[in-house]
């Protein structure tokens, strides 16, 4: 159940960050509201996750997955550059999360 809660936190953070891109500097109402609600939900779910999961493990997964997915969204859907350096950087983020999890996740 803890990984499901963490997955919800990750999905909410990704949705909020994507909404922020479309908020045009918080000048558009609906994307701005999506940003605020998404981040609120993300932090609530992350806080619930931290009741039973180590903070280092949870934060590594949350931030790493969010970073990787938002970077992929940018490259695939928002016209951001998809070059070897950026793809390599995303792969290093994913590898770092895996190594942190292999190194001592207790839940």
């Amino acid at each position: 159940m803890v990984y499901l809660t963490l997955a919800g936190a990750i999905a909410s953070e990704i949705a909020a960050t994507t909404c922020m891109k479309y908020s045009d500097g918080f000048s558009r109402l609906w994307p701005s509201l999506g940003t605020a609600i998404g981040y609120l939900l993300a932090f609530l779910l992350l806080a619930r996750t931290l009741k039973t999961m180590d903070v280092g493990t949870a934060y590594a997964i949350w931030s790493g997955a969010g970073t990787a997915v938002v970077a992929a969204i940018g490259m695939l859907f928002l016209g951001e550059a998809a070059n070897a350096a950026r793809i390599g950087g995303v792969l290093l983020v994913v590898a770092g999360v895996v190594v942190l999890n292999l190194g001592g996740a207790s839940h």
Side-chain angles (χ1 to χ4, degrees):
M1 185 67 174
V2 69
Y3 283 101
L4 188 60
T5 305
L6 183 56
I10 293 165
S12 297
E13 188 265 338
I14 291 166
T17 302
T18 304
C19 283
M20 190 185 308
K21 171 66 175 171
Y22 290 106
S23 75
D24 196 26
F26 294 115
S27 65
R28 296 180 60 215
L29 177 63
W30 295 113
S32 298
L33 287 175
T35 301
I37 291 167
Y39 279 121
L40 178 64
L41 183 58
F43 283 111
L44 288 171
L45 292 171
L46 182 60
R48 181 169 293 258
T49 299
L50 294 178
K51 287 183 172 184
T52 56
M53 183 182 281
D54 292 341
V55 68
T57 301
Y59 193 75
I61 296 169
W62 182 69
S63 61
T67 299
V69 173
V70 169
I73 288 170
M75 289 184 276
L76 294 172
F77 302 109
L78 301 175
E80 296 177 6
N83 55 43
R86 290 188 73 160
I87 293 168
V90 169
L91 293 174
L92 286 170
V93 168
V94 172
V97 171
V98 169
V99 169
L100 281 169
N101 277 296
L102 293 174
S106 61
H107 297 282

